[in-house]
Amino acid sequence: MISKMSMANPFKKIVSAVILDLDGTLLNTDGLVSDVLKGFLVKYGKQWDGREASKIVGKTPLEAAAAIVEEYGLPCATEEFIAEITPVFSDQLCKIKALPGANRLIKHLSGNNVPVALASNSPKASIKSKISYHQGWQESFSVIIGGDEVRTGKPSPEMPGVMGGKAAGMEVVAVPSLPKQSHLYTSADEVINSLLDLRTEKWGLPAFEDWIEGTLPVEPWHIGGPVIKGFGRGSKVLGIPTANISTEGYSMLLSEHSSGVYFGWSGLSTRGVYKMVMSIGWNPYFNNAEKTIEPWLLHEFDEDFYGEELRLVIVGYIRPEANFTSLESLIAKIHGDGRIAERALDLPLYSKYRDDPYLRGSSL
């Protein structure tokens, strides 16, 4: 964010313009890249396991391709690899979804006449192609700069990322696109979990006015499956019985939603519809190896229901995923989340989704 000094308070900076990154900040490009590489590397007898994700995030196409060719020992030159994979990737651009909070932020800044620029290491033609599938984005940016228009890309100040932005004297908010990477952004002025957590008023920008009783409405989304045994810590360790469902087959869906605490309605095939609050993510206190979904149905059940079909409609967001210094503080926070969800789901804005046909077995 480009800032200037306040005349009334010379120690306070007021943001005069915002520069946004594209891939991994506004768009879920990482998810699509992973899907394309999984299919593409098979022809070379290789399996994409995501281990090189940190080496290609934020890089130019040439840099990213060179990293993959080297790491996987592919029998082709970097230029050949790019020539082969670019058409495959280009055909899929229409499938790249906006990340949580992206549309909300762009509309908010545009609606408040805040100048917004878009800067990405991707070629400008690729940038324009990607954003063309998202209504209102093209006209919201005063300036668009691609990696092929500057002498040196990130981390140069010519192409503001975290390091480049700081070198250029800007205020920088980092939104890591890969899990467990916050420690790599210590030079940023703030590190947030997702754009849902951005508090614009902290930077002298107009505040969002869409939070309602500690919750943020989100575009409803659905997920479901049979209830499985989890880590065995919900009831035994936390005293909070969670109804876990498998994430198998949902990798792309989960990549589209930031880790954090959400809430909504749950439907059990033989029992009914109940309020629920759930966590999505890696649960920092227990340091999960994989991204999981752990719903807590806000109802007292007399027996387990492993194997029953559980369907969820997620309608709101409460807070980002966080670590805790003690088990007691974690338990207290979860119960607090439950109380927030209980109250919020009585509001007409959220209660109407109790009748979503998906909860009772209808297909989407």
Side-chain angles (χ1 to χ4, degrees):
M1 291 177 283
I2 301 172
S3 57
K4 58 186 177 182
M5 302 307 294
S6 166
M7 295 301 293
N9 182 354
F11 296 103
K12 180 181 179 181
K13 290 185 177 180
I14 299 174
V15 172
S16 56
V18 175
I19 302 175
L20 295 172
D21 189 15
L22 180 64
D23 301 308
T25 300
L26 298 179
L27 292 179
N28 184 32
T29 316
D30 299 345
L32 180 62
V33 168
S34 290
D35 269 13
V36 169
L37 287 174
K38 279 178 186 176
F40 191 81
L41 290 175
V42 169
K43 66 181 289 186
Y44 291 106
K46 307 289 184 178
Q47 183 177 356
W48 169 258
D49 55 12
R51 68 178 185 270
E52 289 306 298
S54 61
K55 292 185 179 179
I56 65 175
V57 167
K59 302 297 183 183
T60 64
L62 184 63
E63 292 169 336
I68 294 169
V69 169
E70 180 180 359
E71 178 63 25
Y72 286 90
L74 300 184
C76 64
T78 297
E79 292 75 13
E80 291 177 65
F81 179 79
I82 290 178
E84 281 192 73
I85 202 168
T86 296
V88 180
F89 184 68
S90 296
D91 288 344
Q92 303 293 315
L93 291 183
C94 60
K95 297 181 180 179
I96 303 179
K97 293 190 176 181
L99 283 164
N103 278 309
R104 172 179 176 251
L105 177 60
I106 292 171
K107 288 178 182 177
H108 179 70
L109 295 175
S110 178
N112 284 282
N113 299 312
V114 177
V116 184
L118 184 62
S120 170
N121 261 353
S122 294
K124 189 166 185 175
S126 175
I127 296 171
K128 288 195 168 185
S129 182
K130 290 173 188 174
I131 67 175
S132 69
Y133 297 102
H134 298 271
Q135 187 174 5
W137 283 26
Q138 179 79 46
E139 53 268 33
S140 295
F141 299 113
S142 304
V143 178
I144 297 175
I145 299 293
D148 55 343
E149 296 183 294
V150 297
R151 289 172 298 175
T152 53
K154 299 174 185 176
S156 162
E158 286 191 73
M159 181 58 67
V162 174
M163 294 174 63
K166 292 308 296 179
M170 301 180 192
E171 306 291 321
V172 176
V173 177
V175 191
S177 61
L178 297 177
K180 306 179 182 181
Q181 298 290 309
S182 295
H183 63 285
L184 300 178
Y185 298 91
T186 53
S187 59
D189 296 283
E190 183 181 21
V191 181
I192 57 177
N193 184 63
S194 79
L195 291 176
L196 297 176
D197 305 308
L198 181 62
R199 301 289 180 160
T200 48
E201 67 273 18
K202 289 178 63 174
W203 308 101
L205 293 166
F208 287 107
E209 296 180 351
D210 48 1
W211 282 85
I212 303 168
E213 296 191 16
T215 68
L216 178 65
V218 299
E219 187 69 27
W221 56 283
H222 308 76
I223 192 169
V227 177
I228 62 172
K229 288 186 178 291
F231 298 101
R233 63 192 179 214
S235 296
K236 295 177 183 177
V237 179
L238 301 174
I240 299 168
T242 54
N244 299 283
I245 57 177
S246 172
T247 57
E248 187 175 349
Y250 288 120
S251 59
M252 193 64 180
L253 177 64
L254 287 182
S255 75
E256 294 166 4
H257 297 283
S258 307
S259 60
V261 177
Y262 297 78
F263 65 96
W265 295 97
S266 59
L268 281 168
S269 54
T270 63
R271 298 170 190 263
V273 175
Y274 308 94
K275 295 176 178 179
M276 70 88 190
V277 63
M278 64 183 255
S279 70
I280 300 177
W282 291 266
N283 202 323
Y285 185 83
F286 294 104
N287 196 25
N288 291 356
E290 296 180 358
K291 196 173 187 179
T292 60
I293 306 169
E294 298 184 55
W296 175 25
L297 277 57
L298 302 174
H299 179 82
E300 293 287 340
F301 293 93
D302 295 327
E303 58 186 356
D304 292 331
F305 39 83
Y306 294 121
E308 280 197 45
E309 182 76 10
L310 174 65
R311 294 188 165 209
L312 307 174
V313 178
I314 297 87
V315 300
Y317 176 77
I318 296 176
R319 63 174 176 86
E321 190 174 47
N323 204 348
F324 294 87
T325 55
S326 68
L327 186 62
E328 291 73 23
S329 59
L330 169 60
I331 293 171
K333 192 66 174 176
I334 294 173
H335 279 286
D337 297 333
R339 289 190 292 272
I340 290 172
E342 279 269 16
R343 290 193 300 268
L345 287 166
D346 287 331
L347 299 172
L349 174 68
Y350 299 125
S351 63
K352 63 184 179 182
Y353 294 106
R354 191 183 194 282
D355 298 321
D356 191 310
Y358 176 76
L359 295 171
R360 293 171 174 80
S362 297
S363 57
L364 293 175

